[in-house]
C-alpha cells in the first residue's frame, strides 16, 4: 500500500497526483543544486591564475593550472545543461521552470547533502566539497519499465547525508513506479532542445575546445525521462568511481595533480595556484545568508553590482525561455540569441574574471573581489511576453550604459592594461546585444 508522511513530513505516497507533487518538489531541489554547483565551479575557475607573473606558479605550473580552469569551466557548462534537462523533466510532469535558489553560503541543513554550498577560490578544501557533491552512489540494478521502486533508491529527507546521485536515484525509481500516461501530463512546448543551446564555435576556453557532451532534448514519456536522468548521473558523478570522463573522475584527477604539486612545494618549489578571492562576496547584506564577506573597494563594488544585475537579467531571460508562455517562435529566438550565449560568454565570464583580479578591500591581507552571483528579490517570471521583452530591452540598455561607465573608470584607475582592455571589449559587446535586442522587440 502507498505510504504517506515521510521522515521530513512530506507526502510520500497516495495517488499519482500526490506523488507527482513530491516528484516536482524533488526536481526543484535538484534544479537548485545543478544551478548552485554550476556557479561554484565558475567561481573556482575564475580564481585560478593564468600567468606566472602573478606569482606562486612557474611556466610549467601555469599550463597545468590553465588546464584545471578549462576543466572547471567545462564542468560548469555541463551542470548548466543538466539543469536544462531537469527543467525539461519538470515541465514534462506538470511543473514550472524553477531557477530560484538560496544565496551563498547555503548551510548544511538546506539540502540533504551534509555539505555547505559556498563561493570559494580553488583549493584542496573546495575541491573536496565538489567531490562530495559528485560522489557516486552505490551501483543499482537496472529494472525494467513498469517495475516497482528500487529499494536502494533512498528517500529524500532520510537519515544521514545523501549524494546528488541518490536524489536522482529516487527520482528515477519514482518515474519507473508511476503510470506513464498519468505522469507525463506536460507539454513539449515548454521544453528546450539542443537547437536552442548549440554553440557553433564549440569553444569553451582558449585552452580547451570541446562539445557540450549533454544536449537538452524533449521529454514526454518514461523512456526519454530515464534517458535524461541516466545521462545526468553518468556524466555527473558517474555510475562507478572509475568511470572515465565523469565529473567525479575528472575531479579526482585534478586532486591527484594538486596533491603532487603541493608535495613538491614542501621541498622548495612554491605552488599557489589561486588568487585570494573573498569567500561568498556581496556588495550588500543578503537576507537569506550568513557568512558573507563585503566588497568595500569602490571600483570592485561597482563592477560587482554590474555583474549581479547582468546575472539577474540572465536568470529572467532563462525563466522566460524555459516557460514558453506566449511568445512566437521568432520572439523565442530573440531571447535565445542573447541568453545563449552572448550574455554568458561575453558578460558573465569576462566580468567575473576581471572581478577576480580587482582588490576587494584596503589593507591586509590582500583579497580580490570575485563575482557575488547574488540572487535578488524580483527574479521571477514576467507573465506577459510584450512586457517581459520591454523589461529585457530596458535592462540591457542600462547594462550597456553602466558597462561603458565602468570601462571609463577602469581606464582612470590604477589597474593593469589587460583589465582595462577587457572591460572596454565587454562594454562594446553589451552595447551590441542591447542594440540587437531593442531593434527587434515589439513595444506595447
Amino acid at each position: 500500500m502507498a505510504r504517506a508522511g515521510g521522515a521530513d513530513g512530506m507526502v510520500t505516497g497516495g495517488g499519482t497526483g500526490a506523488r507527482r507533487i513530491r516528484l516536482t518538489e524533488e526536481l526543484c531541489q535538484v534544479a537548485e543544486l545543478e544551478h548552485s554547483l554550476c556557479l561554484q565551479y565558475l567561481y573556482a575557475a575564475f580564481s585560478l591564475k593564468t600567468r606566472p607573473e602573478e606569482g606562486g606558479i612557474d611556466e610549467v605550473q601555469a599550463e597545468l593550472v590553465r588546464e584545471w580552469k578549462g576543466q572547471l569551466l567545462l564542468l560548469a557548462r555541463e551542470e548548466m545543461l543538466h539543469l536544462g534537462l531537469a527543467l525539461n523533466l519538470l515541465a514534462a510532469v506538470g511543473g514550472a521552470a524553477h531557477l530560484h535558489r538560496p544565496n551563498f553560503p547555503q548551510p548544511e541543513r538546506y539540502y540533504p547533502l551534509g555539505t555547505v554550498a559556498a563561493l570559494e577560490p580553488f583549493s584542496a578544501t573546495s575541491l573536496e566539497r565538489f567531490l562530495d557533491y559528485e560522489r557516486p552512489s552505490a551501483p543499482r540494478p537496472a529494472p525494467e519499465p513498469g517495475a516497482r521502486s528500487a529499494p536502494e533508491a533512498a528517500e529524500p529527507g532520510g537519515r544521514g547525508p545523501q549524494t546528488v546521485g541518490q536524489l536522482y536515484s529516487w527520482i528515477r525509481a519514482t518515474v519507473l513506479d508511476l503510470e506513464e500516461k498519468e505522469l507525463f501530463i506536460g507539454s513539449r512546448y515548454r521544453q528546450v532542445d539542443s537547437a536552442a543551446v548549440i554553440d557553433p564555435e564549440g569553444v569553451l576556453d582558449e585552452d580547451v575546445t570541446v562539445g557540450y557532451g549533454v544536449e537538452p532534448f524533449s521529454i514526454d514519456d518514461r523512456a526519454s525521462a530515464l534517458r535524461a536522468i541516466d545521462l545526468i548521473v553518468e556524466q555527473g558523478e558517474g555510475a562507478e568511481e572509475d568511470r572515465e570522463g565523469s565529473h567525479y573522475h575528472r575531479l579526482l584527477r585534478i586532486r591527484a595533480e594538486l596533491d603532487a604539486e603541493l608535495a613538491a612545494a614542501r621541498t622548495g618549489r612554491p605552488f599557489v595556484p589561486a588568487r585570494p578571492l573573498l569567500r561568498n562576496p556581496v556588495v550588500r547584506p543578503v537576507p537569506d545568508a550568513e557568512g558573507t564577506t563585503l566588497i568595500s573597494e569602490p571600483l570592485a563594488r561597482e563592477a560587482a553590482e554590474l555583474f549581479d544585475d547582468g546575472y539577474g537579467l540572465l536568470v529572467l531571460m532563462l525563466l522566460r525561455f524555459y516557460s514558453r508562455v506566449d511568445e512566437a517562435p521568432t520572439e523565442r529566438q530573440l531571447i535565445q540569441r542573447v541568453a545563449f550565449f552572448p550574455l554568458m560568454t561575453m558578460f558573465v565570464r569576462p566580468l567575473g574574471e576581471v572581478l577576480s583580479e580587482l582588490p576587494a578591500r584596503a589593507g591586509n591581507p590582500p583579497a580580490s573581489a570575485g563575482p557575488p552571483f547574488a540572487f535578488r528579490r524580483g527574479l521571477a517570471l514576467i507573465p506577459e511576453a510584450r512586457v517581459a521583452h520591454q523589461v529585457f530591452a530596458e535592462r540591457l540598455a542600462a547594462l550597456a550604459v553602466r558597462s561603458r561607465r565602468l570601462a571609463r573608470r577602469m581606464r582612470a584607475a590604477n589597474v593593469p592594461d589587460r583589465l582595462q582592455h577587457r572591460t572596454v571589449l565587454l562594454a562594446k559587446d553589451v552595447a551590441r546585444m542591447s542594440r540587437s535586442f531593442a531593434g527587434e522587440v515589439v513595444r506595447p
Side-chain angles (χ1 to χ4, degrees), residues 313 317 334 386-400 433-435 437-439 441-443:
L313 174 58
M317 297 185 89
L334 179 58
R386 63 182 182 82
V387 176
H389 288 211
Q390 182 175 349
V391 169
F392 299 160
E394 291 169 351
R395 293 197 177 198
L396 276 169
L399 282 182
M433 291 180 230
S434 176
R435 288 194 301 270
F437 194 91
V441 71
V442 177
R443 303 256 176 204

Side-chain angles (χ1 to χ4, degrees), residues 311-342:
Y311 165 69
L313 174 58
L314 175 61
V315 170
L316 285 176
M317 297 185 89
L318 290 177
L319 267 174
R320 188 77 208 173
F321 193 70
Y322 277 95
S323 295
R324 304 287 186 96
V325 181
D326 58 355
E327 280 96 346
T330 54
E331 292 173 316
R332 291 198 299 272
Q333 291 167 6
L334 179 58
I335 297 176
Q336 172 190 336
R337 289 200 299 271
V338 175
F340 296 103
F341 280 82

Side-chain angles (χ1 to χ4, degrees), residues 244 264 357 380:
E244 184 72 31
E357 296 194 64

Side-chain angles (χ1 to χ4, degrees), residues 41 71-80 247 250-251:
Y41 281 139
Q71 286 298 319
L72 290 173
L73 290 171
L74 175 56
L75 294 180
R77 177 169 285 190
E78 289 171 352
E79 294 297 346
M80 182 183 68
H247 291 192
R250 282 180 271 175
L251 290 167

Side-chain angles (χ1 to χ4, degrees), residues 122-153:
F122 177 90
S123 68
T125 301
S126 60
L127 195 53
E128 285 301 317
R129 190 176 72 253
F130 295 150
L131 284 164
D132 284 341
Y133 272 110
E134 305 281 15
R135 197 172 304 281
S137 307
R140 64 171 188 274
E144 295 297 323
R148 303 301 294 175
S149 299
E152 70 278 2

Side-chain angles (χ1 to χ4, degrees), residues 175-433:
V175 168
L176 281 166
D177 199 28
L178 296 179
E179 280 292 330
E180 185 173 26
K181 65 180 180 181
E182 295 181 9
L183 177 59
F184 298 99
I185 63 173
S187 170
R188 291 170 64 100
Y189 177 76
R190 290 195 297 111
Q191 298 188 40
V192 174
D193 60 21
S194 60
V197 297
I198 286 295
D199 181 353
E201 299 293 327
V203 177
L204 172 67
D205 187 81
E206 54 267 26
D207 305 300
V208 182
T209 302
V210 295
Y212 287 162
V214 174
E215 297 173 0
F217 48 83
S218 296
I219 297 171
D220 57 6
D221 57 14
R222 181 178 284 121
S224 53
L226 295 178
R227 178 187 168 204
I229 294 166
D230 292 344
L231 258 174
I232 294 170
V233 170
E234 289 168 10
Q235 185 173 27
E237 61 271 13
E240 300 172 355
E241 289 197 8
D242 61 351
R243 181 180 177 83
E244 184 72 31
S246 72
H247 291 192
Y248 188 74
H249 189 271
R250 282 180 271 175
L251 290 167
L252 283 177
R253 186 171 65 245
I254 293 174
R255 184 176 69 178
E257 293 168 346
L258 174 63
D259 288 346
E261 290 295 335
L262 293 177
R266 289 192 286 271
T267 66
R269 186 188 184 200
F271 186 62
V272 183
R275 303 175 185 118
L277 271 63
L278 295 179
R279 296 181 74 254
N280 307 304
V282 292
V283 293
R284 60 180 64 86
V286 291
D288 60 340
E290 298 179 358
T292 57
T293 312
L294 193 66
I295 300 171
S296 56
E297 277 293 304
L299 184 60
R301 281 182 66 86
E302 181 175 344
E305 287 178 338
L306 176 66
F307 181 93
D308 281 347
D309 286 346
Y311 165 69
L313 174 58
L314 175 61
V315 170
L316 285 176
M317 297 185 89
L318 290 177
L319 267 174
R320 188 77 208 173
F321 193 70
Y322 277 95
S323 295
R324 304 287 186 96
V325 181
D326 58 355
E327 280 96 346
T330 54
E331 292 173 316
R332 291 198 299 272
Q333 291 167 6
L334 179 58
I335 297 176
Q336 172 190 336
R337 289 200 299 271
V338 175
F340 296 103
F341 280 82
L343 199 54
M344 295 179 185
T345 57
M346 296 181 183
F347 180 87
V348 170
R349 176 175 174 179
L351 189 52
E353 291 176 337
V354 167
L355 277 162
S356 76
E357 296 194 64
L358 288 180
R361 62 192 179 200
N364 286 311
S368 300
F373 288 109
F375 204 97
R376 297 178 181 171
R377 294 186 178 96
L379 295 184
L381 177 69
I382 302 171
E384 303 87 4
R386 63 182 182 82
V387 176
H389 288 211
Q390 182 175 349
V391 169
F392 299 160
E394 291 169 351
R395 293 197 177 198
L396 276 169
L399 282 182
V401 170
R402 293 169 60 194
S403 296
R404 288 194 297 271
R405 183 169 64 228
L406 178 65
R408 290 194 298 269
R409 288 203 60 192
M410 292 283 286
R411 285 196 298 268
N414 184 26
V415 297
D417 290 345
R418 67 177 181 280
L419 299 185
Q420 297 179 30
H421 180 64
R422 292 201 77 177
T423 52
V424 169
L425 289 179
L426 180 146
K428 291 179 179 177
D429 288 334
V430 176
R432 186 160 52 247
M433 291 180 230

